[in-house]
Amino acid sequence: MHGEYKVPGGKLVVVDLDVESADRGEVLRDVRVAGDFFLEPDEAILDIDRALNGAPADATAEQLAARVEAALPPGTVMFGFTAEAVGIAVRRAVAHATDWTDYDWQLIHDAPQSPALHMALDEVLTAEVAAGRRPPTLRMWEWGAPAVVIGSFQSLRNEVDARALEEHGMTVVRRISGGGAMFIEPGNTITYSLSVPDALVRGLSFADSYAYLDDWVLGALDGMGVKAWYQPLNDIATESGKIAGAAQKRLAGTAGAVLHHVTMAYDIDADKMLDVLRIGREKLSDKGTKSARKRVDPLRRQTGLPRDAVMRRMIESFRDRHGLTEGSVTPEEMARARELAAGKFGSEDWTARIP
């Protein structure tokens, strides 16, 4: 069995192992850990292998990490990886997880669409990946109208000021994933979706899958001079403030798939955002700030680049890492998405399902 785990912002950990039956159940055998990380002393790699040999095959990543840490000699230095990263790589090996390079990735970057149609396309394309009819897909959004996008479980009246929404000519749509409300203006927002087979995130905790699926964009931001990191659970942050929020939805199907989408603030009208969104004190205190203005620091200021240039660099970063070919929404997919946009996502029943 073979498992790989790229530490977000760090190095690659690779594990090869066998699983065999023993008196106490299945255990790990012939474990060999490798990677492009740094480790001192050199022979500590053998201690890691020995610590994992004989471990229960159903041990959690945390339990495996504890075995590794207990076996390391005093003064061991692990640079670019951690004992937990080794445990995750083992779990991915046992779970037969796939890697980014196992797939032919497709890019969709179409003309601007309505907010409701974007919600529908996310559901349709991810369902097609789950059914095996579509390759894993990176979709870069172009917004056709301003909107507030609320999470699947948010209360409509608690999140949005209806008077301000109408005054500013905005609509509100509800997405299928959880998380918080996003304030969208077409020229000021960068949004992308990843529709991926669930095999890509096997062996990862729900929290770890967020950072894993967005490691490529952290690399892209670094190439634009922006030092960003993941702030659990679902924020991409810099020293100047939050720049993006992520959300996920797991869909069943022939093999299953994960929808992972991210909205980034390229620029923002803070006064309008504060007028439209009802941002509670609890949310602000949780982020360690008293002002919603200070929570978001747009990419325009941090990169000094036009929005289109930022998006191009993001696409090229993904292509350089994982490969990416140009694609499009099929006529059948678009027909289904339009049906959902007009019905489900454009309906009061869905939008106000939690009033």
Side-chain angles (χ1 to χ4, degrees), residues 118-159:
H118 275 307
M119 304 303 109
L121 283 168
D122 261 358
E123 180 170 327
V124 169
L125 297 180
T126 307
E128 290 297 289
V129 172
R133 293 186 292 265
R134 160 169 285 281
T137 300
L138 167 65
R139 183 168 74 92
M140 305 297 296
W141 300 25
E142 295 292 350
W143 290 91
V148 171
V149 182
I150 60 175
S152 181
F153 309 107
Q154 288 188 294
S155 162
L156 178 60
R157 70 166 66 99
N158 287 346
E159 297 299 326

mmCIF file of all heavy atoms in Angstrom, residues 118-159:
data_model
loop_
_atom_site.group_PDB
_atom_site.id
_atom_site.type_symbol
_atom_site.label_atom_id
_atom_site.label_comp_id
_atom_site.label_asym_id
_atom_site.label_seq_id
_atom_site.Cartn_x
_atom_site.Cartn_y
_atom_site.Cartn_z
ATOM 1 N N HIS A 118 -24.747 29.684 -10.456
ATOM 2 C CA HIS A 118 -23.487 29.235 -9.865
ATOM 3 C C HIS A 118 -23.736 28.180 -8.786
ATOM 4 O O HIS A 118 -23.012 27.177 -8.708
ATOM 5 C CB HIS A 118 -22.724 30.420 -9.263
ATOM 6 C CG HIS A 118 -21.886 31.163 -10.248
ATOM 7 N ND1 HIS A 118 -20.968 30.546 -11.061
ATOM 8 C CD2 HIS A 118 -21.805 32.493 -10.536
ATOM 9 C CE1 HIS A 118 -20.359 31.452 -11.823
ATOM 10 N NE2 HIS A 118 -20.853 32.639 -11.519
ATOM 11 N N MET A 119 -24.746 28.404 -7.956
ATOM 12 C CA MET A 119 -25.073 27.416 -6.917
ATOM 13 C C MET A 119 -25.423 26.078 -7.559
ATOM 14 O O MET A 119 -24.995 25.010 -7.094
ATOM 15 C CB MET A 119 -26.250 27.888 -6.063
ATOM 16 C CG MET A 119 -26.096 29.243 -5.382
ATOM 17 S SD MET A 119 -24.665 29.392 -4.299
ATOM 18 C CE MET A 119 -23.638 30.500 -5.290
ATOM 19 N N ALA A 120 -26.202 26.145 -8.633
ATOM 20 C CA ALA A 120 -26.649 24.934 -9.316
ATOM 21 C C ALA A 120 -25.488 24.219 -10.004
ATOM 22 O O ALA A 120 -25.400 22.984 -9.977
ATOM 23 C CB ALA A 120 -27.731 25.285 -10.330
ATOM 24 N N LEU A 121 -24.599 24.971 -10.636
ATOM 25 C CA LEU A 121 -23.457 24.350 -11.306
ATOM 26 C C LEU A 121 -22.573 23.597 -10.319
ATOM 27 O O LEU A 121 -22.065 22.512 -10.627
ATOM 28 C CB LEU A 121 -22.639 25.417 -12.045
ATOM 29 C CG LEU A 121 -23.232 25.903 -13.364
ATOM 30 C CD1 LEU A 121 -22.504 27.155 -13.851
ATOM 31 C CD2 LEU A 121 -23.163 24.808 -14.430
ATOM 32 N N ASP A 122 -22.375 24.150 -9.137
ATOM 33 C CA ASP A 122 -21.599 23.440 -8.124
ATOM 34 C C ASP A 122 -22.201 22.074 -7.830
ATOM 35 O O ASP A 122 -21.495 21.062 -7.756
ATOM 36 C CB ASP A 122 -21.556 24.264 -6.827
ATOM 37 C CG ASP A 122 -20.267 25.051 -6.682
ATOM 38 O OD1 ASP A 122 -19.393 24.944 -7.557
ATOM 39 O OD2 ASP A 122 -20.127 25.772 -5.673
ATOM 40 N N GLU A 123 -23.510 22.037 -7.657
ATOM 41 C CA GLU A 123 -24.166 20.769 -7.330
ATOM 42 C C GLU A 123 -24.102 19.794 -8.497
ATOM 43 O O GLU A 123 -23.778 18.608 -8.322
ATOM 44 C CB GLU A 123 -25.621 21.011 -6.931
ATOM 45 C CG GLU A 123 -26.361 19.735 -6.577
ATOM 46 C CD GLU A 123 -27.723 19.973 -5.957
ATOM 47 O OE1 GLU A 123 -27.895 20.985 -5.244
ATOM 48 O OE2 GLU A 123 -28.623 19.134 -6.178
ATOM 49 N N VAL A 124 -24.389 20.277 -9.698
ATOM 50 C CA VAL A 124 -24.436 19.403 -10.869
ATOM 51 C C VAL A 124 -23.056 18.846 -11.205
ATOM 52 O O VAL A 124 -22.891 17.639 -11.422
ATOM 53 C CB VAL A 124 -25.028 20.158 -12.080
ATOM 54 C CG1 VAL A 124 -24.837 19.360 -13.362
ATOM 55 C CG2 VAL A 124 -26.502 20.441 -11.848
ATOM 56 N N LEU A 125 -22.033 19.698 -11.256
ATOM 57 C CA LEU A 125 -20.702 19.234 -11.649
ATOM 58 C C LEU A 125 -20.122 18.257 -10.630
ATOM 59 O O LEU A 125 -19.480 17.268 -10.996
ATOM 60 C CB LEU A 125 -19.765 20.428 -11.842
ATOM 61 C CG LEU A 125 -20.148 21.407 -12.957
ATOM 62 C CD1 LEU A 125 -19.134 22.541 -13.036
ATOM 63 C CD2 LEU A 125 -20.266 20.703 -14.295
ATOM 64 N N THR A 126 -20.362 18.518 -9.349
ATOM 65 C CA THR A 126 -19.844 17.601 -8.335
ATOM 66 C C THR A 126 -20.573 16.264 -8.389
ATOM 67 O O THR A 126 -19.959 15.201 -8.203
ATOM 68 C CB THR A 126 -19.960 18.231 -6.937
ATOM 69 O OG1 THR A 126 -19.334 19.519 -6.945
ATOM 70 C CG2 THR A 126 -19.264 17.372 -5.893
ATOM 71 N N ALA A 127 -21.867 16.290 -8.652
ATOM 72 C CA ALA A 127 -22.622 15.048 -8.810
ATOM 73 C C ALA A 127 -22.111 14.251 -10.008
ATOM 74 O O ALA A 127 -22.053 13.012 -9.965
ATOM 75 C CB ALA A 127 -24.108 15.348 -8.967
ATOM 76 N N GLU A 128 -21.711 14.941 -11.069
ATOM 77 C CA GLU A 128 -21.166 14.255 -12.240
ATOM 78 C C GLU A 128 -19.809 13.620 -11.929
ATOM 79 O O GLU A 128 -19.496 12.534 -12.420
ATOM 80 C CB GLU A 128 -21.034 15.238 -13.409
ATOM 81 C CG GLU A 128 -22.372 15.676 -14.001
ATOM 82 C CD GLU A 128 -23.118 14.487 -14.589
ATOM 83 O OE1 GLU A 128 -22.695 13.975 -15.636
ATOM 84 O OE2 GLU A 128 -24.126 14.066 -13.977
ATOM 85 N N VAL A 129 -19.003 14.281 -11.112
ATOM 86 C CA VAL A 129 -17.732 13.688 -10.677
ATOM 87 C C VAL A 129 -18.012 12.457 -9.825
ATOM 88 O O VAL A 129 -17.375 11.413 -9.981
ATOM 89 C CB VAL A 129 -16.879 14.717 -9.904
ATOM 90 C CG1 VAL A 129 -15.656 14.041 -9.277
ATOM 91 C CG2 VAL A 129 -16.423 15.840 -10.836
ATOM 92 N N ALA A 130 -18.988 12.548 -8.940
ATOM 93 C CA ALA A 130 -19.339 11.410 -8.082
ATOM 94 C C ALA A 130 -19.806 10.219 -8.908
ATOM 95 O O ALA A 130 -19.520 9.067 -8.570
ATOM 96 C CB ALA A 130 -20.434 11.820 -7.094
ATOM 97 N N ALA A 131 -20.499 10.494 -10.006
ATOM 98 C CA ALA A 131 -21.015 9.419 -10.855
ATOM 99 C C ALA A 131 -19.967 8.892 -11.827
ATOM 100 O O ALA A 131 -20.232 7.920 -12.546
ATOM 101 C CB ALA A 131 -22.233 9.923 -11.632
ATOM 102 N N GLY A 132 -18.805 9.539 -11.877
ATOM 103 C CA GLY A 132 -17.746 9.086 -12.773
ATOM 104 C C GLY A 132 -17.903 9.554 -14.207
ATOM 105 O O GLY A 132 -17.185 9.088 -15.098
ATOM 106 N N ARG A 133 -18.824 10.491 -14.435
ATOM 107 C CA ARG A 133 -19.037 10.986 -15.799
ATOM 108 C C ARG A 133 -18.239 12.241 -16.116
ATOM 109 O O ARG A 133 -18.206 12.685 -17.261
ATOM 110 C CB ARG A 133 -20.536 11.254 -16.022
ATOM 111 C CG ARG A 133 -21.389 10.004 -16.026
ATOM 112 C CD ARG A 133 -22.823 10.329 -16.402
ATOM 113 N NE ARG A 133 -23.498 11.115 -15.394
ATOM 114 C CZ ARG A 133 -24.265 10.602 -14.429
ATOM 115 N NH1 ARG A 133 -24.440 9.290 -14.350
ATOM 116 N NH2 ARG A 133 -24.855 11.389 -13.548
ATOM 117 N N ARG A 134 -17.596 12.822 -15.109
ATOM 118 C CA ARG A 134 -16.808 14.046 -15.299
ATOM 119 C C ARG A 134 -15.482 13.882 -14.573
ATOM 120 O O ARG A 134 -15.447 13.353 -13.460
ATOM 121 C CB ARG A 134 -17.581 15.256 -14.765
ATOM 122 C CG ARG A 134 -16.711 16.482 -14.461
ATOM 123 C CD ARG A 134 -17.505 17.721 -14.201
ATOM 124 N NE ARG A 134 -18.028 18.240 -15.470
ATOM 125 C CZ ARG A 134 -17.310 18.947 -16.343
ATOM 126 N NH1 ARG A 134 -16.038 19.218 -16.088
ATOM 127 N NH2 ARG A 134 -17.850 19.390 -17.447
ATOM 128 N N PRO A 135 -14.376 14.364 -15.175
ATOM 129 C CA PRO A 135 -13.094 14.320 -14.464
ATOM 130 C C PRO A 135 -13.079 15.355 -13.344
ATOM 131 O O PRO A 135 -13.904 16.282 -13.333
ATOM 132 C CB PRO A 135 -12.079 14.689 -15.562
ATOM 133 C CG PRO A 135 -12.859 15.533 -16.512
ATOM 134 C CD PRO A 135 -14.246 14.969 -16.521
ATOM 135 N N PRO A 136 -12.183 15.219 -12.386
ATOM 136 C CA PRO A 136 -12.050 16.253 -11.350
ATOM 137 C C PRO A 136 -11.879 17.625 -11.990
ATOM 138 O O PRO A 136 -11.167 17.775 -12.983
ATOM 139 C CB PRO A 136 -10.792 15.821 -10.595
ATOM 140 C CG PRO A 136 -10.725 14.352 -10.810
ATOM 141 C CD PRO A 136 -11.224 14.123 -12.199
ATOM 142 N N THR A 137 -12.549 18.613 -11.415
ATOM 143 C CA THR A 137 -12.690 19.897 -12.096
ATOM 144 C C THR A 137 -12.376 21.073 -11.186
ATOM 145 O O THR A 137 -12.820 21.123 -10.032
ATOM 146 C CB THR A 137 -14.135 20.048 -12.624
ATOM 147 O OG1 THR A 137 -14.405 18.979 -13.545
ATOM 148 C CG2 THR A 137 -14.334 21.378 -13.327
ATOM 149 N N LEU A 138 -11.600 22.015 -11.729
ATOM 150 C CA LEU A 138 -11.405 23.330 -11.125
ATOM 151 C C LEU A 138 -12.263 24.314 -11.910
ATOM 152 O O LEU A 138 -12.077 24.469 -13.117
ATOM 153 C CB LEU A 138 -9.936 23.754 -11.185
ATOM 154 C CG LEU A 138 -9.637 25.229 -10.861
ATOM 155 C CD1 LEU A 138 -9.968 25.557 -9.408
ATOM 156 C CD2 LEU A 138 -8.172 25.567 -11.164
ATOM 157 N N ARG A 139 -13.209 24.964 -11.221
ATOM 158 C CA ARG A 139 -14.072 25.941 -11.899
ATOM 159 C C ARG A 139 -13.813 27.324 -11.319
ATOM 160 O O ARG A 139 -13.974 27.548 -10.118
ATOM 161 C CB ARG A 139 -15.545 25.566 -11.750
ATOM 162 C CG ARG A 139 -16.487 26.519 -12.503
ATOM 163 C CD ARG A 139 -17.910 25.964 -12.578
ATOM 164 N NE ARG A 139 -18.619 26.054 -11.313
ATOM 165 C CZ ARG A 139 -19.400 27.080 -10.950
ATOM 166 N NH1 ARG A 139 -19.552 28.126 -11.766
ATOM 167 N NH2 ARG A 139 -20.021 27.065 -9.788
ATOM 168 N N MET A 140 -13.385 28.242 -12.175
ATOM 169 C CA MET A 140 -13.211 29.640 -11.798
ATOM 170 C C MET A 140 -14.497 30.384 -12.139
ATOM 171 O O MET A 140 -14.970 30.339 -13.272
ATOM 172 C CB MET A 140 -12.028 30.253 -12.541
ATOM 173 C CG MET A 140 -10.707 29.512 -12.376
ATOM 174 S SD MET A 140 -10.079 29.458 -10.672
ATOM 175 C CE MET A 140 -9.768 31.203 -10.351
ATOM 176 N N TRP A 141 -15.063 31.062 -11.172
ATOM 177 C CA TRP A 141 -16.357 31.724 -11.358
ATOM 178 C C TRP A 141 -16.182 33.140 -11.900
ATOM 179 O O TRP A 141 -15.228 33.847 -11.567
ATOM 180 C CB TRP A 141 -17.097 31.837 -10.041
ATOM 181 C CG TRP A 141 -17.422 30.559 -9.350
ATOM 182 C CD1 TRP A 141 -16.777 29.348 -9.457
ATOM 183 C CD2 TRP A 141 -18.468 30.351 -8.402
ATOM 184 N NE1 TRP A 141 -17.355 28.418 -8.646
ATOM 185 C CE2 TRP A 141 -18.392 28.997 -7.981
ATOM 186 C CE3 TRP A 141 -19.451 31.173 -7.868
ATOM 187 C CZ2 TRP A 141 -19.283 28.465 -7.046
ATOM 188 C CZ3 TRP A 141 -20.332 30.651 -6.933
ATOM 189 C CH2 TRP A 141 -20.247 29.301 -6.539
ATOM 190 N N GLU A 142 -17.154 33.547 -12.693
ATOM 191 C CA GLU A 142 -17.344 34.954 -13.041
ATOM 192 C C GLU A 142 -18.772 35.311 -12.648
ATOM 193 O O GLU A 142 -19.728 34.663 -13.085
ATOM 194 C CB GLU A 142 -17.111 35.202 -14.533
ATOM 195 C CG GLU A 142 -15.688 34.959 -15.008
ATOM 196 C CD GLU A 142 -14.681 35.964 -14.454
ATOM 197 O OE1 GLU A 142 -15.116 36.974 -13.849
ATOM 198 O OE2 GLU A 142 -13.464 35.750 -14.637
ATOM 199 N N TRP A 143 -18.918 36.313 -11.806
ATOM 200 C CA TRP A 143 -20.219 36.675 -11.261
ATOM 201 C C TRP A 143 -20.975 37.617 -12.186
ATOM 202 O O TRP A 143 -20.428 38.619 -12.639
ATOM 203 C CB TRP A 143 -20.055 37.334 -9.903
ATOM 204 C CG TRP A 143 -19.604 36.395 -8.830
ATOM 205 C CD1 TRP A 143 -18.319 36.125 -8.463
ATOM 206 C CD2 TRP A 143 -20.430 35.587 -7.996
ATOM 207 N NE1 TRP A 143 -18.297 35.200 -7.452
ATOM 208 C CE2 TRP A 143 -19.579 34.857 -7.136
ATOM 209 C CE3 TRP A 143 -21.814 35.423 -7.888
ATOM 210 C CZ2 TRP A 143 -20.068 33.968 -6.181
ATOM 211 C CZ3 TRP A 143 -22.302 34.543 -6.937
ATOM 212 C CH2 TRP A 143 -21.439 33.827 -6.097
ATOM 213 N N GLY A 144 -22.237 37.308 -12.444
ATOM 214 C CA GLY A 144 -23.064 38.148 -13.310
ATOM 215 C C GLY A 144 -23.833 39.213 -12.567
ATOM 216 O O GLY A 144 -24.411 40.113 -13.193
ATOM 217 N N ALA A 145 -23.870 39.140 -11.234
ATOM 218 C CA ALA A 145 -24.635 40.109 -10.441
ATOM 219 C C ALA A 145 -24.145 40.060 -9.000
ATOM 220 O O ALA A 145 -23.617 39.034 -8.548
ATOM 221 C CB ALA A 145 -26.124 39.779 -10.506
ATOM 222 N N PRO A 146 -24.320 41.155 -8.252
ATOM 223 C CA PRO A 146 -23.930 41.155 -6.841
ATOM 224 C C PRO A 146 -24.894 40.293 -6.027
ATOM 225 O O PRO A 146 -26.070 40.161 -6.371
ATOM 226 C CB PRO A 146 -24.024 42.629 -6.446
ATOM 227 C CG PRO A 146 -25.051 43.197 -7.374
ATOM 228 C CD PRO A 146 -24.877 42.462 -8.678
ATOM 229 N N ALA A 147 -24.399 39.711 -4.951
ATOM 230 C CA ALA A 147 -25.246 38.821 -4.165
ATOM 231 C C ALA A 147 -24.660 38.612 -2.779
ATOM 232 O O ALA A 147 -23.484 38.885 -2.525
ATOM 233 C CB ALA A 147 -25.390 37.470 -4.863
ATOM 234 N N VAL A 148 -25.503 38.121 -1.900
ATOM 235 C CA VAL A 148 -25.061 37.553 -0.638
ATOM 236 C C VAL A 148 -25.319 36.054 -0.722
ATOM 237 O O VAL A 148 -26.426 35.625 -1.057
ATOM 238 C CB VAL A 148 -25.818 38.149 0.566
ATOM 239 C CG1 VAL A 148 -25.480 37.373 1.842
ATOM 240 C CG2 VAL A 148 -25.471 39.612 0.735
ATOM 241 N N VAL A 149 -24.281 35.256 -0.473
ATOM 242 C CA VAL A 149 -24.406 33.800 -0.492
ATOM 243 C C VAL A 149 -24.357 33.315 0.947
ATOM 244 O O VAL A 149 -23.353 33.534 1.635
ATOM 245 C CB VAL A 149 -23.284 33.142 -1.309
ATOM 246 C CG1 VAL A 149 -23.477 31.635 -1.346
ATOM 247 C CG2 VAL A 149 -23.245 33.712 -2.723
ATOM 248 N N ILE A 150 -25.438 32.694 1.401
ATOM 249 C CA ILE A 150 -25.470 32.216 2.775
ATOM 250 C C ILE A 150 -25.253 30.707 2.811
ATOM 251 O O ILE A 150 -25.519 29.994 1.846
ATOM 252 C CB ILE A 150 -26.787 32.591 3.492
ATOM 253 C CG1 ILE A 150 -27.999 31.994 2.767
ATOM 254 C CG2 ILE A 150 -26.904 34.100 3.614
ATOM 255 C CD1 ILE A 150 -29.309 32.230 3.518
ATOM 256 N N GLY A 151 -24.758 30.233 3.958
ATOM 257 C CA GLY A 151 -24.499 28.818 4.130
ATOM 258 C C GLY A 151 -25.782 28.015 4.263
ATOM 259 O O GLY A 151 -26.844 28.544 4.594
ATOM 260 N N SER A 152 -25.661 26.726 4.044
ATOM 261 C CA SER A 152 -26.827 25.850 4.027
ATOM 262 C C SER A 152 -27.629 25.892 5.318
ATOM 263 O O SER A 152 -28.853 25.721 5.295
ATOM 264 C CB SER A 152 -26.368 24.408 3.758
ATOM 265 O OG SER A 152 -27.462 23.530 3.703
ATOM 266 N N PHE A 153 -26.969 26.162 6.445
ATOM 267 C CA PHE A 153 -27.652 26.062 7.734
ATOM 268 C C PHE A 153 -27.839 27.405 8.420
ATOM 269 O O PHE A 153 -28.204 27.449 9.597
ATOM 270 C CB PHE A 153 -26.868 25.108 8.644
ATOM 271 C CG PHE A 153 -26.564 23.795 7.982
ATOM 272 C CD1 PHE A 153 -25.270 23.494 7.567
ATOM 273 C CD2 PHE A 153 -27.566 22.884 7.729
ATOM 274 C CE1 PHE A 153 -24.988 22.297 6.935
ATOM 275 C CE2 PHE A 153 -27.295 21.682 7.086
ATOM 276 C CZ PHE A 153 -26.006 21.381 6.690
ATOM 277 N N GLN A 154 -27.615 28.498 7.702
ATOM 278 C CA GLN A 154 -27.760 29.812 8.309
ATOM 279 C C GLN A 154 -29.207 30.301 8.251
ATOM 280 O O GLN A 154 -29.960 29.983 7.322
ATOM 281 C CB GLN A 154 -26.855 30.830 7.598
ATOM 282 C CG GLN A 154 -25.380 30.639 7.905
ATOM 283 C CD GLN A 154 -24.546 31.773 7.360
ATOM 284 O OE1 GLN A 154 -24.444 31.945 6.147
ATOM 285 N NE2 GLN A 154 -23.938 32.546 8.232
ATOM 286 N N SER A 155 -29.554 31.117 9.228
ATOM 287 C CA SER A 155 -30.873 31.761 9.244
ATOM 288 C C SER A 155 -30.839 32.974 8.328
ATOM 289 O O SER A 155 -29.975 33.842 8.469
ATOM 290 C CB SER A 155 -31.223 32.194 10.666
ATOM 291 O OG SER A 155 -32.256 33.158 10.665
ATOM 292 N N LEU A 156 -31.778 33.035 7.406
ATOM 293 C CA LEU A 156 -31.819 34.133 6.436
ATOM 294 C C LEU A 156 -31.941 35.479 7.128
ATOM 295 O O LEU A 156 -31.172 36.409 6.855
ATOM 296 C CB LEU A 156 -32.982 33.915 5.471
ATOM 297 C CG LEU A 156 -33.218 35.000 4.413
ATOM 298 C CD1 LEU A 156 -31.997 35.153 3.522
ATOM 299 C CD2 LEU A 156 -34.456 34.667 3.582
ATOM 300 N N ARG A 157 -32.888 35.605 8.047
ATOM 301 C CA ARG A 157 -33.115 36.909 8.669
ATOM 302 C C ARG A 157 -31.988 37.308 9.620
ATOM 303 O O ARG A 157 -31.744 38.497 9.827
ATOM 304 C CB ARG A 157 -34.457 36.929 9.394
ATOM 305 C CG ARG A 157 -34.538 36.075 10.645
ATOM 306 C CD ARG A 157 -35.778 36.426 11.469
ATOM 307 N NE ARG A 157 -36.992 36.076 10.767
ATOM 308 C CZ ARG A 157 -37.695 34.959 10.995
ATOM 309 N NH1 ARG A 157 -37.252 34.077 11.890
ATOM 310 N NH2 ARG A 157 -38.805 34.713 10.357
ATOM 311 N N ASN A 158 -31.296 36.318 10.169
ATOM 312 C CA ASN A 158 -30.192 36.646 11.073
ATOM 313 C C ASN A 158 -28.940 37.098 10.342
ATOM 314 O O ASN A 158 -28.077 37.762 10.921
ATOM 315 C CB ASN A 158 -29.839 35.431 11.935
ATOM 316 C CG ASN A 158 -30.872 35.150 12.994
ATOM 317 O OD1 ASN A 158 -31.726 35.989 13.272
ATOM 318 N ND2 ASN A 158 -30.809 33.961 13.587
ATOM 319 N N GLU A 159 -28.808 36.728 9.065
ATOM 320 C CA GLU A 159 -27.581 37.017 8.313
ATOM 321 C C GLU A 159 -27.678 38.227 7.402
ATOM 322 O O GLU A 159 -26.685 38.885 7.126
ATOM 323 C CB GLU A 159 -27.183 35.788 7.481
ATOM 324 C CG GLU A 159 -26.851 34.556 8.301
ATOM 325 C CD GLU A 159 -25.681 34.765 9.239
ATOM 326 O OE1 GLU A 159 -24.754 35.511 8.869
ATOM 327 O OE2 GLU A 159 -25.701 34.187 10.333
#
